[in-house]
Amino acid sequence: MTRPVARRRSLLFAPAAILAAPRLAHAAWPERPVRIVVAFPPGSSTDVVARALAQKLGEQTGQAFVVENRGGAGGNIGAQAVRGSADGQTLLMHSTAIAVNPTLYRNAVYALDDFATVAVVATAPNAFFVHPSVPARTLPELIAHIRAHPGIAYAHSGTGTTPHLGAELLFNTLAGVRATPVAFGPAQAATAVVANQAPIGSTSLPPALPLIREGRVRGIAVAGAQRDPTLPDLPTVAEQGFPGFEASTWFGLFAPARMPAEALDRLLAEVPRAMAAPDLVARLAAQSLTDPGLTGEPAATFVRREAARWAEVVRSSGATAE
């Protein structure tokens, strides 16, 4: 392995002792505005998390953190825009799709070791919901409805996202019914169900939450390990006949592998501080987003595990993308 490649990989897989200990002598970073590229459009959960975190990081460091949306291709466009950056001022906010896409896309535009994992900053359960015209009110009733209408469309948050792969696993593999995935942006998938462009929706919970509360769509199930406190009456997938089923969406902050060490050190100190701020915790909790508390090597280990987990779903479901 050449020296540059070895260094690049060390940033993603570096020992926890190295990543966890900020070198305060370099606390001057950032000396100019920092750009956070969001791999999904405005209004997505990834965007919501990025903007909340950017505001808090700006307050803490006295420097602007500017959000730039570069959505498209399941998050690949944003990732590709950041992977080769060497300016020390560019970060990436991505979802679970960053770990899925290298397996899902036949011609992947990046590898995980093109990035240093700074933190997994938030997670949210996925949710299944329907247009009010769909008669189903429970998951077994929805599966029966799909069986009676084979090929019925469901809107999801984008190819390779866990709302897409989780629905494929639930409907086509576990339940043995055939539903047709239709990709939208995360927020757009929820509104597509409101407009009945697709009668079924599968997204992370945040974009669907206000629509369920307003009765514009009907919640069927959450896919977390337990019921979500924002919708305590909505049962989980596991409670409705699929024990052990869980599909959530997480959101992570990443840096290009060539990010200077002093910048990474400062981020590893500032991001947990920002995420622990009571106003930010409350702001995210109101949208069913919680901080798992993963930074540095623990975060990188989590991302690797997720990549392996969803690679199995990609292979078993036969899902692919160009």
Side-chain angles (χ1 to χ4, degrees):
M1 182 182 296
T2 66
R3 190 178 185 85
V5 171
R7 179 182 181 277
R8 184 180 70 181
R9 292 192 174 183
S10 72
L11 288 171
L12 181 63
F13 304 117
I18 296 174
L19 285 174
R23 289 193 289 272
L24 298 180
H26 296 286
W29 185 93
E31 298 177 347
R32 62 184 190 276
V34 177
R35 183 170 60 122
I36 300 180
V37 174
V38 177
F40 293 93
S44 63
S45 298
T46 316
D47 178 68
V48 168
V49 173
R51 291 180 187 278
L53 179 59
Q55 179 181 342
K56 190 58 65 176
L57 289 174
E59 293 171 2
Q60 291 176 186
T61 64
Q63 187 57 266
F65 281 70
V66 181
V67 171
E68 176 186 324
N69 296 90
R70 297 288 296 273
N76 281 343
I77 291 175
Q80 190 167 21
V82 174
R83 65 185 289 268
S85 175
D87 64 4
Q89 305 293 132
T90 303
L91 303 172
L92 173 69
M93 183 67 76
H94 214 304
S95 74
T96 319
I98 194 172
V100 176
N101 289 351
T103 301
L104 183 73
Y105 283 79
R106 293 174 180 171
N107 298 307
V109 297
Y110 66 87
L112 276 181
D113 62 1
D114 288 333
F115 300 96
T117 303
V118 177
V120 177
V121 294
T123 184
N126 294 344
F128 296 96
F129 48 95
V130 297
H131 185 268
S133 64
V134 175
R137 294 183 177 275
T138 66
L139 184 56
E141 289 176 359
L142 176 58
I143 290 169
H145 184 75
I146 296 171
R147 184 170 286 113
H149 300 83
I152 190 172
Y154 73 88
H156 63 78
S157 302
T159 303
T161 60
T162 58
H164 168 217
L165 296 178
E168 288 293 291
L169 176 63
L170 177 61
F171 295 147
N172 296 356
T173 302
L174 298 179
V177 294
R178 185 168 59 86
T180 302
V182 182
F184 292 84
Q188 291 76 13
T191 55
V193 178
V194 173
N196 207 15
Q197 293 174 280
I200 303 167
S202 176
T203 70
S204 64
L205 182 54
L209 180 60
L211 304 177
I212 294 173
R213 283 175 167 166
E214 294 163 10
R216 300 174 70 189
V217 300
R218 183 185 306 120
I220 296 295
V222 290
Q226 54 195 10
R227 296 192 185 196
D228 193 86
T230 62
L231 292 171
D233 295 330
L234 188 62
T236 65
V237 171
E239 287 179 275
Q240 298 187 70
F242 297 89
F245 184 93
E246 184 179 351
S248 297
T249 300
W250 51 260
F251 309 95
L253 185 66
F254 300 86
R258 290 188 287 177
M259 186 71 137
E262 60 269 23
L264 285 175
D265 287 344
R266 184 77 190 277
L267 285 165
L268 288 166
E270 296 292 347
V271 170
R273 180 182 163 206
M275 295 304 300
D279 58 333
L280 183 53
V281 171
R283 180 177 175 182
L284 296 181
Q287 301 179 68
S288 298
L289 291 160
T290 57
D291 173 20
L294 296 171
T295 58
E297 178 57 23
T301 299
F302 173 83
V303 171
R304 289 195 297 268
R305 286 201 305 264
E306 284 287 277
R309 174 194 176 196
W310 289 108
E312 287 298 317
V313 177
V314 169
R315 284 189 282 269
S316 66
S317 68
T320 61
E322 299 298 333

